[in-house]
Amino acid sequence: MKKWSKWFWVLTMSIMAFSVQSCEENPPIVPPVVEGKTSIDLNFSALWNGQPLTFLTGWFEQPSPQKEYVQFFNFGMIVSKLRLVKEDGTEVLLGDGYQWIDFKKQRTKFNYEVPVGKYKAVRFTLGLDSAINHGDPNQWGAEHPLNGNLTGMHWGWAGGYIFQAIDGNYKDSLTDKYTKGMSFHTATDVMVRNFEVPVGTSMGAATFEVKEKATTPVQFNYHINRYYQGIELKKGSVSHSEGIKETALMQKLLENLKVNSAFEIPTP
Amino acid sequence: MKQGLIILGVLILGLSSCRKDPEDPLHKTPSSYKPTLVDPATIFPVGKFGMPQLPSDNPFTEEGIYLGRMLFYDPILSFDSSISCGSCHKQEYAFAEPKKFSTGIFGLQTGRNSSSLYNLAYSRKFFWDARQSTLREQVFEPIQAHNEMAMTLPFLAKRLARTDRYIEYFDKAFGSNPNVFDMSKALEQFLMTLVSKDSRFNGFFPGKFSLLSDTEKRGALLFNGLVDFDMVTGLATGTDCFHCHGGALAQQNNPDMGGIANNGLDGNFTDKGYGAITGNPADRGLFKTPSLLNIAVTGPYMHDGRFATLDEVIDHYSDNVNYLSPTISPMMAAHGNKQLKLTPQQKADLKAFLLTMTDSAFLTNPAYSNPFKK
C-alpha cells in the first residue's frame, strides 16, 4: 500500500507538472544571459549654489549686483552633437547626438553604449545646426528629442527650435507680495553655442574610465546660478532672443555659461 | 481506491484549467477575429503634425474604430439610456457644445464647459484640470459621473453583452465578448481618429503667408509676435499667443511650456483646476491650454464658459488680464505686467486670423458622424 501510493504520487506530480506546462500558450521568453552592456549613465543635475534646483517652491537668492529672488517654473534644453572625448582626443557620439533634457520633468538620465576606455571631456552644442533648426519638426519619430510636439521646444510659426527654455518668477525682496515673470528662451541660429566640459573640478583635470560590460555613471552638473551671475532681473527678465535689447541680454546669459564655467563633470 | 479518486480529481482539475479559451468570459476562440489593421500614417497627417505617440497595445483596426464610433453615439452607455457622448460633444461644434455647461442625465448640469474633441492623440493630458493621462482611462469618467451618464461598469457590461451589435463587433474588433476594458480601447481608437487638419490655417502654416488677406496677415503677426510696444505709437506689436497656442496644432502640449497655464482670468480661484489635482498651491487656477483650431465654433469659451464670443476672449487678453493672479503664467507676466490695449483694428485683425482656423471638412466628415442616423 505504502509503496503503491508513493509511486502513484510521483507519476501524478509529473503529469501535473507536464499538463501545467502545456497550458502556457506562449512559452515564457527566456531572457538571454545578460552580458552587461558597456555603457554610461549620463546624469544631468541642475544646481543653485550646489543645491538641487526645485520648481515652484522656495526662492533662490541671486546675490549680485543687488539681491533678487528667483523661482523656477520650467527648465529644458535641446542639445546636439553630444559626445565624449577620449584621452587620445578621439570623439564618441552619444546616440545620434541629439537630446532633450528637462529638469522639471526629471528627464535627465540617459544610457549610452560607448567603447571601453578613458574619457576626458564631454562636448556638445546647445542648439542645432541651421538646417535642422529650420527643418521640418515633423520628420522626427514620436519619441525623438527633436519632435516638436513631444518637447514643446519648437516655435511653430517663427520657425526653429527653442534651445533652452527657462521660465519662472522673481521678486525684489522676499516680502514682496507681487511676483514678476521671468522668461529666457534661447533660440535662433546666432545663439547656438558649442561647449567642451572637461572632466574634473576646479581642483584639477581628470578622466573617467568606462570598463567592459559595466555601466559607468557620469555626473553632469549645471550650475544655473552662474547663468544669472551679474544679471539684474528688474532691468530685464525676459529674452526670447529677438530684438536689440533681448538679443544682447541673451548673449550675456550665454556668455555667463562659459565665463563662469556653469557646466561641470566632477570625477566619479 | 480513495487515493486514486483524489488523484483523478486533481488530474481533471489540472487538465481543465488548460482549456482556457472557451471558458474565458472575455476572450473566445479567435475564429471570426480577423480585424483589418489601419496604418496610423493614413490617419495622422504626418507632414503637418508629425506622428503622435500611440499606445502600443491598441492598434487601430477598422472594426475597433467603428465599434468606438457606435459606443460614442450610443445612449445605452447612460443609466437611463438617454445620453450619449455625442449629446455633449457635437460634431458640428468640433465636438464641443454651444452651452456654458452641458446637461447630463436627469437634467443635471456639468461643472465645466464641454471640451472640443480633435487631435487628441497629440495630447498628453485630458480634461480642463489635466487629471487624466490616457483616453482609455478618461472615458470611464463621464460614463460613471452622476451628472453625466451615471452608469455602473458591471451594469454596463451586462447591457452591452445583451446587445447584438456589440456581441458582433466586440468579437470582430477584439475577439472578445462585450466588456468594459475593450470598450475603453474601442473608444480610445475612435477618439484618436478625430483629426482636424484641413483648416485654411493648416493650409498656409507655417510658411505660405501670401495666402492670407491683409487683415489676417496682421492678425497672424500679432498672434505670433512676442509682446512688445512700438516706441513711437505705443501700440502693441505682438500679443504672444503662440507660446501657448502655437504650432500647427495651435496648442502647446508640453504642460511645462504653457500646456497647462493660468492665463490671468481670476485672482481668487473658485475652481482650482490643476491645483486641485496636484495639491500644490502653485498650480491653483491652472487649466489645460485648449487648441484654437475650430475656435470659431467651440464657444462659449474657457473652462467655465464665461466668455460667449471670441470678441470677449480678445478683450480679456487685451485689457483685462489679472496680473495680480498669484499663479499667472510667467509667459504672460514676463511682459512688465502691462495690458496690451489693442486698438479695435488690431482686435479685428486677431479675430480674422483666428477665424482661419475653422476646418469645415472636419465638422462634416461622415466618418465621425452618428452611425445610427442614416
Side-chain angles (χ1 to χ4, degrees):
Chain A
M1 178 63 188
K2 281 261 155 73
K3 259 188 192 155
W4 179 85
S5 87
K6 204 176 180 182
W7 176 85
F8 219 95
W9 274 114
V10 170
L11 184 76
T12 312
M13 291 320 273
S14 52
I15 292 177
M16 283 288 293
F18 179 78
S19 66
V20 165
Q21 209 175 32
S22 69
C23 282
E24 301 282 339
E25 280 168 15
N26 304 310
I29 300 161
V30 184
V33 183
V34 184
E35 294 261 308
K37 290 191 293 184
T38 305
S39 67
I40 59 162
D41 267 344
L42 183 56
N43 185 50
F44 293 85
S45 301
L47 305 171
W48 186 283
N49 282 339
Q51 298 303 310
L53 199 72
T54 52
F55 292 88
L56 286 176
T57 54
W59 294 87
F60 293 96
E61 185 181 307
Q62 148 76 351
S64 66
Q66 222 178 53
K67 274 189 188 168
E68 288 178 317
Y69 300 86
V70 186
Q71 184 173 69
F72 292 86
F73 182 81
N74 68 285
F75 182 3
M77 55 202 286
I78 300 264
V79 301
S80 60
K81 297 185 203 140
L82 182 60
R83 57 212 194 274
L84 297 185
V85 187
K86 280 196 158 175
E87 217 175 13
D88 65 7
T90 53
E91 295 184 337
V92 175
L93 192 66
L94 299 178
D96 66 358
Y98 298 110
Q99 200 47 270
W100 166 45
I101 301 148
D102 190 310
F103 293 105
K104 177 153 183 218
K105 291 191 175 61
Q106 299 182 339
R107 187 192 147 99
T108 46
K109 194 169 168 181
F110 308 95
N111 181 264
Y112 295 107
E113 281 188 55
V114 296
V116 291
K118 284 191 169 167
Y119 293 89
K120 64 174 185 184
V122 171
R123 288 189 186 136
F124 67 96
T125 301
L126 179 58
L128 301 164
D129 280 353
S130 182
I132 299 283
N133 190 22
H134 301 293
D136 180 1
N138 296 325
Q139 65 181 298
W140 309 97
E143 320 270 341
H144 194 274
L146 297 191
N147 181 307
N149 187 54
L150 175 71
T151 65
M153 302 277 283
H154 191 271
W155 267 348
W157 194 277
Y161 287 82
I162 306 171
F163 308 147
Q164 179 170 273
I166 299 178
D167 295 274
N169 301 308
Y170 80 97
K171 289 181 178 188
D172 299 330
S173 93
L174 279 179
T175 49
D176 266 5
K177 262 196 91 178
Y178 195 49
T179 67
K180 285 165 274 190
M182 165 187 83
S183 182
F184 293 124
H185 291 187
T186 312
T188 74
D189 294 349
V190 297
M191 297 298 176
V192 176
R193 295 289 182 278
N194 297 315
F195 292 93
E196 167 158 342
V197 188
V199 176
T201 60
S202 52
M203 308 302 287
T207 56
F208 64 82
E209 187 174 358
V210 173
K211 298 211 175 86
E212 187 145 20
K213 290 178 187 154
T215 298
T216 308
V218 179
Q219 178 59 30
F220 187 111
N221 290 336
Y222 189 156
H223 295 280
I224 184 64
N225 56 303
R226 298 181 191 171
Y227 178 75
Y228 283 87
Q229 209 158 304
I231 300 290
E232 224 173 330
L233 291 171
K234 67 168 106 20
K235 288 194 179 151
S237 65
V238 184
S239 172
H240 291 169
S241 314
E242 280 186 6
I244 297 169
K245 197 178 152 212
E246 293 194 10
T247 301
L249 177 54
M250 185 53 68
Q251 273 162 344
K252 166 78 179 126
L253 287 162
L254 292 175
E255 202 180 291
N256 271 352
L257 292 180
K258 282 212 173 144
V259 178
N260 304 328
S261 305
F263 303 125
E264 176 196 49
I265 303 174
T267 14
Chain B
M1 193 55 206
K2 205 168 122 202
Q3 227 162 12
L5 268 178
I6 295 173
I7 290 161
L8 203 75
V10 170
L11 260 175
I12 290 171
L13 208 86
L15 281 176
S16 68
S17 75
C18 294
R19 295 166 44 82
K20 155 150 108 210
D21 285 343
E23 255 76 44
D24 185 327
L26 296 189
H27 293 92
K28 28 189 198 182
T29 8
S31 58
S32 51
Y33 175 53
K34 287 188 204 69
T36 319
L37 284 172
V38 180
D39 180 358
T42 63
I43 298 174
F44 301 105
V46 179
K48 279 179 185 165
F49 298 161
M51 189 51 99
Q53 287 176 296
L54 297 168
S56 56
D57 60 348
N58 194 14
F60 290 105
T61 64
E62 277 176 18
E63 294 78 4
I65 295 167
Y66 188 72
L67 174 59
R69 184 174 158 203
M70 286 197 290
L71 291 162
F72 187 88
Y73 284 103
D74 202 331
I76 74 168
L77 266 65
S78 65
F79 180 73
D80 63 356
S81 295
S82 65
I83 306 266
S84 75
C85 312
S87 309
C88 304
H89 299 289
K90 298 193 165 88
Q91 185 178 4
E92 63 267 43
Y93 304 109
F95 292 98
E97 201 185 12
K99 287 183 183 170
K100 201 165 150 57
F101 300 117
S102 297
T103 306
I105 196 165
F106 311 136
L108 295 173
Q109 298 273 300
T110 58
R112 295 199 182 114
N113 180 245
S114 175
S115 305
S116 51
L117 308 178
Y118 53 81
N119 302 343
L120 295 168
Y122 294 90
S123 252
R124 270 163 281 157
K125 294 285 178 194
F126 302 101
F127 291 123
W128 284 104
D129 53 13
R131 65 183 176 274
Q132 284 291 2
S133 304
T134 69
L135 286 167
R136 197 178 300 181
E137 296 163 278
Q138 178 281 327
V139 300
F140 288 118
E141 290 211 21
I143 292 173
Q144 298 177 95
H146 77 282
N147 59 345
E148 298 193 30
M149 301 165 106
M151 195 58 168
T152 70
L153 296 179
F155 189 41
L156 177 55
K158 276 195 196 133
R159 204 185 261 179
L160 293 173
R162 282 200 307 262
T163 313
D164 287 345
R165 59 179 175 277
Y166 293 123
I167 295 170
E168 181 189 344
Y169 265 88
F170 275 82
D171 183 29
K172 281 186 172 164
F174 299 106
S176 65
N177 291 318
N179 68 86
V180 293
F181 301 105
D182 289 334
M183 174 197 74
S184 69
K185 286 167 93 178
L187 278 165
E188 179 175 70
Q189 285 189 39
F190 174 66
L191 290 171
M192 285 194 176
T193 65
L194 301 176
V195 174
S196 175
K197 60 177 172 27
D198 293 318
S199 65
R200 270 186 63 221
F201 166 76
N202 283 126
F204 58 69
F205 182 91
K208 300 188 198 112
F209 249 92
S210 57
L211 297 174
L212 280 77
S213 72
D214 286 345
T215 173
E216 288 163 359
K217 233 177 260 177
R218 289 193 302 268
L221 286 173
L222 282 173
F223 188 96
N224 294 286
L226 297 162
V227 169
D228 212 345
F229 297 90
D230 189 287
M231 300 244 273
V232 181
T233 61
L235 293 183
T237 53
T239 56
D240 201 358
C241 312
F242 80 100
H243 262 110
C244 302
H245 302 286
L249 294 157
Q251 179 176 38
Q252 170 61 267
N253 276 315
N254 180 340
D256 300 321
M257 291 287 292
I260 300 176
N262 170 355
N263 61 344
L265 293 171
D266 299 310
N268 296 314
F269 309 113
T270 42
D271 185 340
K272 290 196 185 62
Y274 189 50
I277 306 305
T278 64
N280 184 346
D283 291 328
R284 279 170 307 152
L286 272 62
F287 290 90
K288 174 178 172 175
T289 303
S291 165
L292 298 188
L293 297 181
N294 301 299
I295 195 67
V297 302
T298 65
Y301 302 101
M302 306 299 167
H303 65 275
D304 51 5
R306 70 176 66 188
F307 299 132
T309 63
L310 277 179
D311 300 296
E312 289 177 30
V313 173
I314 293 171
D315 286 348
H316 160 70
Y317 284 110
S318 166
D319 309 313
N320 301 317
V321 172
N322 188 337
Y323 287 110
L324 290 171
S325 183
T327 60
I328 188 165
S329 165
M331 304 201 192
M332 302 200 60
H335 308 294
N337 298 348
K338 237 161 93 181
Q339 301 292 351
L340 295 169
K341 295 276 173 219
L342 302 178
T343 63
Q345 181 62 54
Q346 286 180 310
K347 290 183 180 178
D349 293 342
L350 202 48
K351 185 173 170 188
F353 176 65
L354 294 178
L355 295 183
T356 67
M357 296 192 176
T358 309
D359 176 1
S360 47
F362 172 74
L363 304 178
T364 54
N365 187 335
Y368 307 144
S369 65
N370 188 339
F372 302 117
K373 273 194 194 146
K374 284 284 156 350

